[in-house]
Amino acid sequence: MRALVLTGPGKAEVQEVEPPAAAPGEVVVDVERVGVCGTDVELFTGEMSYLRTGRSWYPLRPGHEWCGRVSAAGAGVDPSWLGRAVTADTMLACGRCDRCRSGRHHVCADLAEIGISLGRPGALAERLAVPVTALHPLPATMDPALGALVEPGGNALRAARAAGLAAGERLLVLGTGTIGLLTALFARAAGAEVHLMGRDEAGLRLAAGLGFEHAWTRATLPASRWDAVVDASNAAELPALALELVEPARRVVYIGLAGGPSALDTRDLVLKDVTAVGILGGSAGMAEAIAAFADGSVDARPLVAATVGLADAAAVLAGHRPPAAGPGPKIHIDPRR
């Protein structure tokens, strides 16, 4: 089968590789759609910290935001999975340790991540093997664009929930990329008054097109009461700004990652009695994200700018946008093309 293989920093090519077999407890999925994520880009460029710590290495097959249909089932797998539309949790844990048993499998010490770490092949391929325990069923009629947005959607839903807002309270989201906009969509669906701050005019226009009336730059951001602030940016200075802006005794949520360390004065955190929450992974939010996409309360499809074939994946990782791409921040790959 064809698969995208990262062979070194800045090097990627479509290769013919051995197709996966369904081992006991696993299924094979025919992949229909894959989202390109910032993590994939960092693995391609060589900037991903896992490449320095030894959790990831080349050659590497990326892709962890995906959907497809089950085409084969291994021993011990219920055959009713065959033919079903699915996505899956990226985080594959041991299932035995205290963290796993207490519902924190996404921080298991022996965690392997699909398309990211410990050599687990990713979804930028025609087929993918996945443990059945990681699967999430999708409605048969769900648009593959939404199916491939479930994993980032789970992350964003967790961030929106972590803000701890009641209906009508005001949320400020810093960043108008995929996670920022998804967080805004989930928070709005829950009844929050959502404001966004960005630096990219295209992102601000897209936010307005999604029905967000309050989209600002740093220069135009009003001096309002912010009941919670979510930092979904990659700017090293914005974690401190989030803490500065949030109402005392409320919450800041950190889901974005900068390329370098961010400075945060814990004296400000303590003296404002603010709760700071970090969000890693969509595991605990994926089922609810699927439900929100399925019932139409959140429509994230406008975030997808274009869908291209596997042969174009390397160019996308290198930062090239397809010529006919729309305004959305997300590029999808159809490995069948």
Side-chain angles (χ1 to χ4, degrees):
M1 69 171 187
R2 295 182 309 140
L4 185 77
V5 181
L6 307 184
T7 58
K11 299 178 180 178
E13 60 187 36
V14 176
Q15 296 182 359
E16 290 288 335
V17 303
E18 190 69 23
E26 292 190 344
V27 301
V28 171
V29 178
D30 291 344
V31 181
E32 295 181 352
R33 197 68 54 85
V34 189
V36 175
C37 169
T39 299
D40 301 317
V41 173
E42 289 190 354
L43 289 168
F44 170 74
T45 62
E47 297 171 301
M48 175 66 174
S49 62
Y50 284 2
L51 293 165
R52 294 190 295 277
T53 61
R55 284 187 56 81
S56 302
W57 55 83
Y58 300 115
L60 184 149
R61 285 166 45 188
H64 61 277
E65 302 176 1
W66 60 272
C67 66
R69 291 189 181 272
V70 177
S71 58
V77 175
D78 187 336
S80 67
W81 280 107
L82 289 169
R84 297 186 70 179
V86 296
T87 186
D89 193 346
T90 299
M91 311 295 204
L92 307 182
C94 75
R96 302 179 300 275
C97 68
D98 289 343
R99 293 175 187 174
C100 288
R101 291 199 301 268
S102 64
R104 296 176 293 134
H105 79 275
H106 63 298
V107 290
C108 172
D110 294 323
L111 184 73
E113 297 159 271
I114 292 174
I116 299 174
S117 67
L118 301 192
R120 188 79 197 196
L124 277 168
E126 294 176 325
R127 289 183 289 284
L128 175 70
V130 190
V132 70
T133 52
L135 291 182
H136 285 269
L138 300 174
T141 58
M142 179 172 282
D143 188 330
L146 289 174
L149 284 166
V150 167
E151 194 278 338
N155 277 273
L157 185 144
R158 289 188 63 215
R161 293 283 170 82
L165 295 176
E169 291 190 306
R170 187 177 292 129
L171 171 68
L172 176 63
V173 178
L174 306 180
T176 55
T178 299
I179 295 297
L181 291 170
L182 280 168
T183 300
L185 288 168
F186 282 111
R188 182 173 67 185
E193 178 190 316
V194 180
H195 296 240
L196 293 110
M197 189 191 91
R199 60 188 178 191
D200 179 86
E201 288 299 328
L204 294 173
R205 287 195 298 271
L206 178 58
L210 291 169
F212 293 103
E213 299 177 3
H214 310 295
W216 316 98
T217 63
R218 180 69 185 99
T220 62
L221 184 70
S224 297
R225 171 193 173 110
W226 307 112
D227 298 306
V229 180
V230 174
D231 176 22
S233 77
N234 60 4
E237 70 275 12
L238 289 192
L241 180 64
L243 180 55
E244 175 187 331
L245 293 174
V246 74
E247 183 73 6
R250 299 306 298 265
R251 289 189 168 205
V252 290
V253 180
Y254 295 112
I255 189 171
L257 289 173
S262 301
L264 195 67
D265 192 335
T266 57
R267 293 173 296 184
D268 295 333
L269 190 74
V270 171
L271 294 174
K272 292 187 71 172
D273 194 26
V274 166
T275 299
V277 182
I279 299 295
L280 173 69
S283 301
M286 291 180 72
E288 289 182 76
I290 291 168
F293 290 166
D295 67 20
S297 57
V298 173
D299 184 3
R301 287 174 293 184
L303 275 60
V304 179
T307 301
V308 299
L310 194 61
D312 296 312
V316 171
L317 289 170
H320 300 291
R321 285 178 70 85
K330 180 65 69 175
I331 305 296
H332 276 178
I333 310 293
D334 181 348
R336 301 167 299 180
R337 293 189 190 177

